[in-house]
Amino acid sequence: MKAIEITQYGAPEVLKLTERPRPELKPGEVLIKVSASGVNRPDVLQRIGQYPVPPGASDLPGLEVAGEIVEGALDGADNRWGLKVGSRVCALVQGGGYAEYCTAPLAQVLPVPQGLSDVEAASLPETFFTVWSNVFDRARLGETETGEKETLLVQGGTSGIGVTAIQLAVALGHRVFATAGSEDKARACEALGAERGINYKTEDFVAVTKELTKDRGVDVVLDMVGGDYLPREVQALAFDGRIAIIALLGGSKATLDMGALLRRRLTVTGSTLRPRSVAFKAAIAQNLHDKVWPLLAAGKIRPVIYRTFPAEQADKAHALMETSTHVGKIVLTW
């Protein structure tokens, strides 16, 4: 099969088209003939040597794919949705997604939502699994003690994670605010459903969210920045507020007012999804299938595809991602 490998750590040009044997199936896995592969920030981090491959995972980059099942374990309890050879699917994988064939635990494989193309489906797993796990499971975005829907602040609203978090939270009835790096991007966040897009280069997200919530603050922050954003996010939180950290684009060190955490009953949590167990990801897959896939099929949430590249131009896809000019997802096609 054709595949894109990281020949050495470095710039996008280290990504090269190569030939590899098809991956061998492990118990509980299926083999997918890949039509499209999502490109994500962790792929970039892996390429530059800052995102280690979990033991036993493929060294090829790529954490999400879409295509069709060609063989594998389809007669067990993990086949919750009656998938067959030939079924169109998308899957979250630990690696190996930048290839014509990829294996995936069946428990992490979902049918393509009705009406979506393979390119659109390939843009779903990494961001939807991540957002559901962190915003709804860990940070428990839900209702206040008085029964009102809680509010969410998304840092980086035009990233793949950001456009997913905005749309999903809005579709489930929550007020959402989102930061972005330009006026155009702030307006793009609003077009996706955010009540207010905040240009972080010219506006203070703490002041803006405090004003919009009548000084109450937001209930949940989805943070991809870390660094000096963290103490400001603490200021932006309501009592009992939660911060879910999923990336550290602004650095891994921060200074926190621990007194504020105590007085206002705040929670700061973080996680990475890639090394978690199949059982953990299977539970997320079930929630997505039951609660989110119908929203996608109904058009209440839509994949946002910024650009596609032929797989052999993976270096150009990574170069584009590193500019941070995109709104939504970048996808490779095979």
Side-chain angles (χ1 to χ4, degrees):
M1 67 175 186
K2 294 179 181 178
I4 302 296
E5 66 180 6
I6 301 169
T7 55
Q8 63 185 60
Y9 295 139
E13 291 73 25
V14 304
L15 297 173
K16 299 294 184 184
L17 184 67
T18 188
E19 294 221 351
R20 291 274 189 101
R22 289 187 190 181
E24 295 184 2
L25 287 167
K26 299 175 184 176
E29 291 186 338
V30 293
L31 183 65
I32 298 169
K33 186 178 188 301
V34 177
S35 298
S37 312
V39 177
N40 294 282
R41 188 71 61 174
D43 304 340
V44 173
L45 295 177
Q46 180 177 333
R47 193 201 74 225
I48 62 177
Q50 295 183 7
Y51 199 54
V53 176
S58 171
D59 66 304
L60 298 174
L63 301 175
E64 59 184 351
V65 298
E68 67 175 54
I69 295 175
V70 292
E71 63 176 293
L74 294 165
D75 55 357
D78 285 339
N79 194 357
R80 293 166 285 180
W81 303 298
L83 300 174
K84 304 173 182 177
V85 170
S87 291
R88 293 179 62 233
V89 296
C90 57
L92 181 73
V93 296
Q94 274 198 317
Y98 287 15
E100 288 184 308
Y101 291 87
C102 182
T103 58
L106 184 58
Q108 296 170 205
V109 177
L110 286 154
V112 172
Q114 182 179 351
L116 266 60
S117 68
D118 284 351
V119 166
E120 291 171 320
S123 77
L124 301 178
E126 172 66 11
T127 55
F128 277 84
F129 273 74
T130 298
V131 168
W132 189 270
S133 177
N134 286 279
V135 173
F136 296 97
D137 287 344
R138 294 187 71 82
R140 307 181 313 282
L141 183 68
E143 295 183 350
T144 66
E145 291 181 352
T146 58
E148 297 176 346
K149 290 284 189 178
E150 291 186 322
T151 54
L152 171 68
L153 170 63
V154 178
Q155 304 286 21
T158 55
S159 66
I161 292 286
V163 300
T164 298
I166 291 169
Q167 291 193 88
L168 184 50
V170 168
L172 295 176
H174 299 275
R175 296 176 69 195
V176 179
F177 317 112
T179 63
S182 70
E183 290 299 318
D184 286 346
K185 284 191 169 187
R187 303 293 81 78
C189 291
E190 293 168 356
L192 290 166
E195 182 175 321
R196 177 74 148 79
I198 304 165
N199 182 348
Y200 63 77
K201 294 182 179 178
T202 60
E203 298 180 284
D204 177 3
F205 68 80
V206 178
V208 173
T209 53
K210 284 281 194 178
E211 179 183 359
L212 292 169
T213 58
K214 299 180 179 178
D215 207 41
R216 178 180 178 275
V218 297
D219 297 290
V220 173
V221 178
L222 180 61
D223 179 16
M224 292 168 261
V225 183
D228 62 6
Y229 266 48
L230 192 57
R232 296 167 61 199
E233 289 165 349
V234 167
Q235 296 174 30
L237 283 178
F239 273 75
D240 295 304
R242 290 87 70 197
I243 299 171
I245 303 170
I246 60 170
L248 301 170
L249 297 176
S252 61
K253 306 293 184 183
T255 300
L256 282 181
D257 180 352
M258 302 299 288
L261 267 67
L262 293 173
R263 291 190 304 272
R264 294 163 51 211
R265 304 182 299 273
L266 307 180
T267 300
V268 178
T269 184
S271 72
T272 56
L273 183 60
R274 190 178 189 182
R276 298 302 295 265
S277 69
V278 172
F280 180 86
K281 295 170 187 174
I284 302 173
Q286 186 71 59
N287 277 322
L288 292 176
H289 183 267
D290 294 348
K291 300 171 184 176
V292 180
W293 258 223
L295 298 174
L296 285 160
K300 295 180 179 179
I301 302 173
R302 59 183 179 85
V304 180
I305 308 300
Y306 183 74
R307 188 171 172 185
T308 63
F309 289 87
E312 61 268 22
Q313 295 180 14
D315 58 335
K316 294 182 179 180
H318 275 224
L320 174 59
M321 173 157 280
E322 290 181 324
T323 69
S324 294
T325 58
H326 59 290
V327 177
K329 293 296 292 279
I330 301 167
V331 178
L332 304 178
T333 58
W334 294 90

